[in-house]
Amino acid sequence: MKFAALTAAATLALSACGDAPEEEDSGNNADAGSDGGESTEGSGAGDFTACMVSDSGGFDDQSFNQSGRIGMENAEADLGVETVLVESQSDADYVTNVNGLVQQGCGLTIGVGFLLQESMTAAAQENPDTHFALIDSTFSEELDNGKPILFNTAEASFLAGYLSAGMTETGTVATFGGLQIPSVSIFMDGYVDGVNKYNEDNGTDVKVLGWDKEAQNGSFSGDFENQSQGQTLTEQFIAQGADIVMPVAGPVGLGAAAAAQGSDGVKIVWVDSDGYETTEYGDIMLTSVVKQIAPAVEDTIAASMEDFTNEPYVGTLENEGVGLAPFHDFDGDVPQELKDQIADYQEQIISGELVIESPNAP
């Protein structure tokens, strides 16, 4: 079973069940700007301007903000639109940055992350003739001009949990989040279910540290910036015997990867992007739970130019909006029987035979 993604290709109009092509990391950085954050402006042909506000993790987080930026870059190249990116330095910047883009006449303003829900909702309410989209969150209320871009990552995280349970040598794995918000907890829900399913299938007792799905509580770093906290949490998990850790915390996950790299035999499951490609820790990346944010952004821009709809886009295994990254350096270490079982469960999820439930699902 190959879980490798295809490079982002032709633009497709998004729908709740539409296909989402894969993203490609261009690796470009945003240039310094003014006001609440940093901004870049493209010189695309045409008179449509698409704009994006990052959360405080920034556009170089090697995770979901960066994936959003790549979608903007692709839209500029493929669609000929003008783009403006504004990078938030802290939560206090969100209102200023969003309102600043509206005042610039953006045809579509995209917010990256649940933390922008309040500011994006307020702006959409105050500007009913302008289009807005919000990644990883719904708006506070349904709005005709507000489109949620969501991902059912519990499905792909289930596969990652099953893989982790089959690959652990200590019988203990772990996960933690940045903040306890739905777009984070949903990863952790699926991961726990995957481990539990492996135990059920194989009569094993692999333990998951960091998250109790039933109680909906566990370990969180408290933000998406403090990498030292991610390192500390991971060191604590390692001390308790964990040899595979899935951080769901943006740049904080880099601290987890640093801790893992300093401990013999410890591996990381990355999230949002393919960590093997986007971080310097590829040699310890077992796999990644990938969200195809970049193509979802590009397709939303294309739709906004022609026929905007507020219908939520939900990325799933079926429409390839989420998926499991290749095993890369560990491909030869993963038993074929385990690969086959993961592939079988992926097909069962796609067909609806197996439903991965999460209270945080979109």
Side-chain angles (χ1 to χ4, degrees):
M1 177 65 188
K2 294 184 179 179
F3 296 95
L6 298 175
T7 305
T11 302
L12 304 175
L14 280 178
S15 66
C17 58
D19 288 344
E22 290 241 359
E23 63 186 66
E24 180 178 338
D25 189 345
S26 68
N28 296 330
N29 297 327
D31 297 326
S34 59
D35 299 324
E38 299 178 354
S39 68
T40 68
E41 217 171 306
S43 56
D47 57 3
F48 187 88
T49 302
C51 303
M52 177 173 284
V53 182
S54 79
D55 76 1
S56 56
F59 285 118
D60 292 322
D61 64 353
Q62 301 176 55
S63 189
F64 71 105
N65 282 289
Q66 183 168 317
S67 296
R69 185 198 72 199
I70 293 167
M72 296 289 284
E73 292 169 350
N74 292 344
E76 184 176 85
D78 298 339
L79 305 176
V81 300
E82 183 176 355
T83 62
V84 179
L85 307 179
V86 177
E87 186 170 85
S88 303
Q89 304 299 314
S90 70
D91 293 2
D93 294 335
Y94 297 154
V95 172
T96 299
N97 287 344
V98 171
N99 290 340
L101 290 176
V102 172
Q103 292 168 12
Q104 289 187 54
C106 297
L108 171 68
T109 299
I110 304 173
V112 186
F114 178 87
L115 297 180
L116 279 108
Q117 182 189 65
E118 184 176 342
S119 56
M120 288 287 292
T121 299
Q125 290 171 330
E126 294 166 5
N127 299 275
D129 295 328
T130 301
H131 299 158
F132 296 83
L134 188 52
I135 297 171
D136 270 346
S137 175
T138 59
F139 289 80
S140 299
E141 62 180 72
E142 184 176 347
L143 300 169
D144 291 340
N145 61 332
K147 182 182 188 70
I149 302 175
L150 308 171
F151 300 88
N152 190 357
T153 49
E155 295 182 344
S157 291
F158 172 91
L159 304 178
Y162 200 95
L163 171 69
S164 298
M167 291 296 292
T168 178
E169 296 180 2
T170 63
T172 302
V173 300
T175 184
F176 72 89
L179 291 171
Q180 189 166 354
I181 55 180
S183 57
V184 169
S185 300
I186 188 174
F187 280 94
M188 301 162 79
D189 288 339
Y191 191 75
V192 168
D193 282 349
V195 173
N196 290 342
K197 186 62 174 175
Y198 182 89
N199 287 336
E200 177 186 325
D201 289 349
N202 296 278
T204 52
D205 187 27
V206 177
K207 295 178 174 58
V208 183
L209 305 177
W211 186 240
D212 183 331
K213 180 185 177 184
E214 183 176 353
Q216 286 290 294
N217 62 52
S219 299
F220 294 89
S221 63
D223 59 36
F224 295 106
E225 297 90 40
N226 190 346
Q227 294 185 25
S228 63
Q229 182 64 12
Q231 184 165 353
T232 297
L233 281 171
T234 302
E235 288 170 348
Q236 292 172 351
F237 290 140
I238 293 170
Q240 296 176 69
D243 62 348
I244 300 175
V245 180
M246 184 180 77
V248 191
V252 174
L254 297 173
Q261 194 168 65
S263 301
D264 186 46
V266 179
K267 304 174 184 66
I268 291 291
V269 173
W270 198 245
V271 300
D272 293 330
S273 62
D274 184 344
Y276 185 89
E277 304 288 350
T278 61
T279 77
E280 61 186 50
Y281 297 101
D283 59 327
I284 59 169
M285 292 292 168
L286 176 60
T287 189
S288 300
V289 178
V290 177
K291 291 189 293 194
Q292 299 302 341
I293 293 174
V297 165
E298 183 176 359
D299 292 353
T300 299
I301 292 170
S304 183
M305 294 168 63
E306 298 180 1
D307 186 21
F308 179 86
T309 170
N310 69 344
E311 182 179 6
Y313 166 77
V314 180
T316 65
L317 285 177
E318 182 179 10
N319 64 21
E320 299 181 356
V322 301
L324 202 63
F327 307 140
H328 295 295
D329 293 349
F330 294 101
D331 187 71
D333 298 329
V334 181
Q336 188 60 47
E337 182 179 1
L338 181 57
K339 292 179 181 178
D340 291 344
Q341 186 59 74
I342 291 171
D344 181 60
Y345 280 137
Q346 174 167 290
E347 291 305 313
Q348 289 187 39
I349 293 170
I350 290 173
S351 70
E353 181 181 351
L354 176 61
V355 178
I356 310 304
E357 297 181 348
S358 166
N360 301 292

